Amino acid sequence: MDIMYAKNDYLERENERILANIKDVMRTCVPLNIYCGMEHDVWGIWLEVDEVKYLVNPILLVNSLFEDHFFYSLLKEYPTKSNSRKSVEIHKESFCYSWRFYSGVSKNALPIYINFQECVAKIKTCVETLYEVLSAGKPAAYDEFNSGLDFGIEELRIAVEQMSISAVMPNYYCKMSSEVKEDPFVFEIEGDEYKEQYTIGIGNRKYSTWLTQWDNNYDSIRYQFESIVHNMEATINLTFDMSDLVLKIKCISVVDEINKTKDGCGNTYKKYALVEIQPNEFIHGPTLKGYCNLEQTLKTLYEGLLTLALAHDVESKEDEYEPSQNEAYNMFKSPLIEQYITGMEGSWPKAEFRQVRVKRILTMEPDYDEVIFDSEGNPPIELEGEDGNIEELYDKEGKPFQIDGLKEWQEEIEPIVIEGAVGRTIESFDWKSYHERGLALAQKLRAKLSSDFDLWYRAPLEDNSGIIPKPILIYEQPIERKE
């Protein structure tokens, strides 16, 4: 927790100044003439400007709340289908929004000012109402326009969920951690057909999008990600579907407690990752924004990118070059990010080297008579003799080694695999204890391996417990920091 102290006289002056500024702004604000209702027997969100009603895209309406500058077109009143349209430009100001309406190429419109709270509340009511009526199968005005308003019920649901995250809505009051709903960051390579899709999101607000382009600059993604270490924020462009999905991560501190003293008060702060996801043009849903656990966010994204490189079967083509699996993996591989993740409790460490070259990527996954697999398609690593000596690998000194207990742990799975081969399961098997021991063994194995190996741990196919839902990267222990 960070602590910040301020004296009473300073706080009083600041409060007076801010309240005076708010009053000045509020004098210029006008109501926002927007509502969700029926016009000509169809439902929509309507914005009235100069006594003309315009149909509004609810997704763009929600997105406008999160941008400092936003511009989009309105559709003229239904059922008119002429090409005559009006555009709106929205700017986020201090304590309010400014809206400017344009017709044609005119850029001389005067702004109108709308209070933050009123704007958010009205848009929230409109989007919730529209979702409710469209979910009930009511006719929508949007169906009649071929104008890119091809959002669906699911995208509208996500917009409603996004509007319910009050801590990310515009507000000129200091936020407290009690207002923050912390959601997990989601970045997953999809199912068995991982080459096809990935899912990204915050909590239950998430999108699945395609993996169609593999000529990206993977190094660029890593460089963008690594800026989190130096700048406490990162903007990462994931170009895997011919259009950028933009992921923004910012380390922020939110007031956790206000402790008043005789002459002032000291605030304690809690750290979060403020995550923003701007979907690519093929996703017709809103921008996602929310608070996530910092360590979980970075770890999930980093391991997801490495898994993505492992999952895709890249090839060299005649007219373009795609990296091999190992090359793609090494472009994402970052000692800087790994030290950052494993050293979360202290001051951020700096990598002593910029990049390492991983020669072999191993997976520890217990099977009938095997436990260590090579990602390049080489035969599994054999455990030799009764002691389970590992002849094919080498430690930091270049010598073969053994991990006490690894062979016995692998052999425990043999009856499970035999039963699974004939379609039966052993319900009484203690998967929790088994994986706890397996992860401890994996950490011992990682400690022996040199830095040009990477090691992953995953559950066997026969495990339906869900305790280990996806592969886990086993990190090297953090380098001891010098004071």
Side-chain angles (χ1 to χ4, degrees):
M1 293 281 181
D2 294 332
I3 300 175
M4 187 175 293
Y5 181 81
K7 289 192 172 183
N8 285 331
D9 56 352
Y10 169 79
L11 293 173
E12 288 172 1
R13 287 197 306 272
E14 279 298 289
N15 285 336
E16 288 175 2
R17 181 184 64 80
I18 292 170
L19 288 171
N21 288 343
I22 292 172
K23 287 180 180 178
D24 288 340
V25 170
M26 292 306 106
R27 290 190 190 100
T28 65
C29 288
V30 298
L32 178 63
N33 294 323
I34 193 168
Y35 66 96
C36 179
M38 289 188 75
E39 296 291 340
H40 306 283
D41 300 322
V42 287
W43 282 88
I45 297 177
W46 311 92
L47 179 66
E48 187 171 340
V49 183
D50 298 330
E51 299 183 349
V52 178
K53 295 173 183 175
Y54 294 86
L55 184 62
V56 184
N57 184 327
I59 304 301
L60 296 180
L61 196 60
V62 172
N63 285 351
S64 70
L65 296 174
F66 299 106
E67 298 293 332
D68 292 333
H69 176 204
F70 200 81
F71 185 89
Y72 62 94
S73 295
L74 305 171
L75 296 177
K76 201 170 182 180
E77 181 184 11
Y78 178 88
T80 302
K81 298 183 182 179
S82 69
N83 292 325
S84 174
R85 297 192 182 190
K86 192 177 286 287
S87 299
V88 58
E89 184 177 3
I90 303 172
H91 288 265
K92 192 183 292 185
E93 312 283 354
S94 297
F95 317 121
C96 71
Y97 287 104
S98 69
W99 288 46
R100 290 176 171 87
F101 297 99
Y102 304 108
S103 297
V105 295
S106 171
K107 291 292 181 180
N108 298 319
L110 294 174
I112 64 169
Y113 296 97
I114 303 160
N115 176 284
F116 268 164
Q117 273 71 16
E118 180 191 346
C119 192
V120 171
K122 284 191 172 180
I123 291 175
K124 185 173 187 291
T125 299
C126 287
V127 174
E128 288 175 344
T129 303
L130 185 65
Y131 175 63
E132 183 179 334
V133 297
L134 297 192
S135 296
K138 304 293 184 182
Y142 306 100
D143 300 336
E144 304 296 325
F145 287 91
N146 184 19
S147 308
L149 301 185
D150 49 354
F151 60 88
I153 291 295
E154 175 61 14
E155 287 77 20
L156 202 52
R157 178 198 68 79
I158 292 173
V160 171
E161 292 281 345
Q162 181 60 52
M163 292 292 294
S164 70
I165 311 299
S166 60
V168 300
M169 291 292 107
N171 198 316
Y172 40 75
Y173 297 111
C174 179
K175 291 183 175 66
M176 298 286 293
S177 62
S178 56
E179 303 173 62
V180 172
K181 177 180 181 290
E182 186 178 286
D183 285 313
F185 173 70
V186 177
F187 188 74
E188 298 170 348
I189 311 305
E190 291 292 289
D192 293 329
E193 300 294 330
Y194 324 130
K195 311 168 196 166
E196 303 295 333
Q197 281 185 307
Y198 71 95
T199 294
I200 189 168
I202 305 169
N204 65 348
R205 295 164 287 139
K206 51 192 176 185
Y207 302 121
S208 290
T209 187
W210 298 100
L211 297 167
T212 58
Q213 292 290 97
W214 286 92
D215 56 355
N216 307 287
N217 187 337
Y218 297 153
D219 289 307
S220 175
I221 292 175
R222 188 183 83 246
Y223 295 150
Q224 291 169 355
F225 192 4
E226 287 177 341
S227 68
I228 195 83
V229 177
H230 305 295
N231 303 324
M232 304 301 286
E233 60 182 299
T235 298
I236 304 166
N237 294 71
L238 300 178
T239 310
F240 296 119
D241 196 12
M242 299 178 289
S243 174
D244 283 3
L245 182 146
V246 180
L247 171 64
K248 296 182 178 181
I249 304 172
K250 187 174 184 178
C251 306
I252 65 164
S253 296
V254 178
V255 177
D256 189 54
E257 291 183 350
I258 300 176
N259 302 307
K260 293 185 178 180
T261 64
K262 185 179 296 184
D263 61 345
C265 65
N267 297 343
T268 57
Y269 290 80
K270 188 174 180 179
K271 288 183 177 177
Y272 295 94
L274 182 59
V275 176
E276 181 176 333
I277 302 170
Q278 298 174 3
N280 62 39
E281 63 182 290
F282 304 108
I283 300 172
H284 303 285
T287 295
L288 304 182
K289 197 168 184 179
Y291 291 88
C292 304
N293 177 277
L294 183 57
E295 181 177 3
Q296 182 269 331
T297 298
L298 302 183
K299 192 171 185 290
T300 297
L301 177 60
Y302 182 62
E303 294 181 12
L305 290 171
L306 292 175
T307 303
L308 184 149
L310 286 175
H312 185 67
D313 187 18
V314 289
E315 298 175 347
S316 292
K317 299 181 179 179
E318 292 181 3
D319 58 347
E320 63 179 314
Y321 176 75
E322 289 188 357
S324 69
Q325 190 179 80
N326 252 31
E327 286 172 328
Y329 188 92
N330 277 297
M331 289 177 186
F332 287 138
K333 176 75 175 176
S334 171
L336 195 64
I337 292 296
E338 292 190 16
Q339 289 186 48
Y340 190 31
I341 290 171
T342 56
M344 294 297 293
E345 294 302 320
S347 59
W348 307 134
K350 292 184 179 179
E352 295 181 359
F353 40 88
R354 175 72 179 177
Q355 179 69 325
V356 298
R357 181 77 184 168
V358 177
K359 296 178 181 177
R360 297 180 71 178
I361 306 161
L362 306 178
T363 300
M364 186 170 146
E365 177 183 356
D367 202 347
Y368 176 69
D369 58 357
E370 299 158 339
V371 66
I372 303 174
F373 298 85
D374 194 317
S375 68
E376 293 184 334
N378 296 325
I381 309 300
E382 298 290 339
L383 302 183
E384 304 289 346
E386 293 183 1
D387 295 331
N389 205 42
I390 305 174
E391 296 285 350
E392 298 175 48
L393 302 181
Y394 50 89
D395 62 14
K396 290 179 172 63
E397 297 178 354
K399 299 177 181 178
F401 60 91
Q402 68 182 52
I403 302 297
D404 292 337
L406 181 59
K407 187 175 179 63
E408 293 83 354
W409 177 80
Q410 177 267 320
E411 290 173 347
E412 285 183 46
I413 205 71
E414 291 181 5
I416 303 292
V417 176
I418 293 171
E419 291 296 301
V422 294
R424 294 194 294 264
T425 58
I426 299 177
E427 300 293 342
S428 61
F429 192 78
D430 187 354
W431 286 109
K432 183 175 182 294
S433 171
Y434 188 73
H435 286 308
E436 286 174 352
R437 288 179 286 131
L439 286 167
L441 289 166
Q443 196 62 65
K444 289 181 180 179
L445 176 58
R446 171 68 272 180
K448 288 280 188 180
L449 294 169
S450 63
S451 295
D452 54 1
F453 285 97
D454 254 12
L455 177 64
W456 292 77
Y457 179 92
R458 66 185 300 160
L461 293 174
E462 293 76 17
D463 178 12
N464 296 318
S465 69
I467 294 171
I468 307 292
K470 60 183 179 180
I472 297 173
L473 179 63
I474 306 300
Y475 293 89
E476 287 193 75
Q477 293 301 306
I479 297 171
E480 186 176 349
R481 300 171 198 152
K482 296 178 181 178
E483 299 298 334

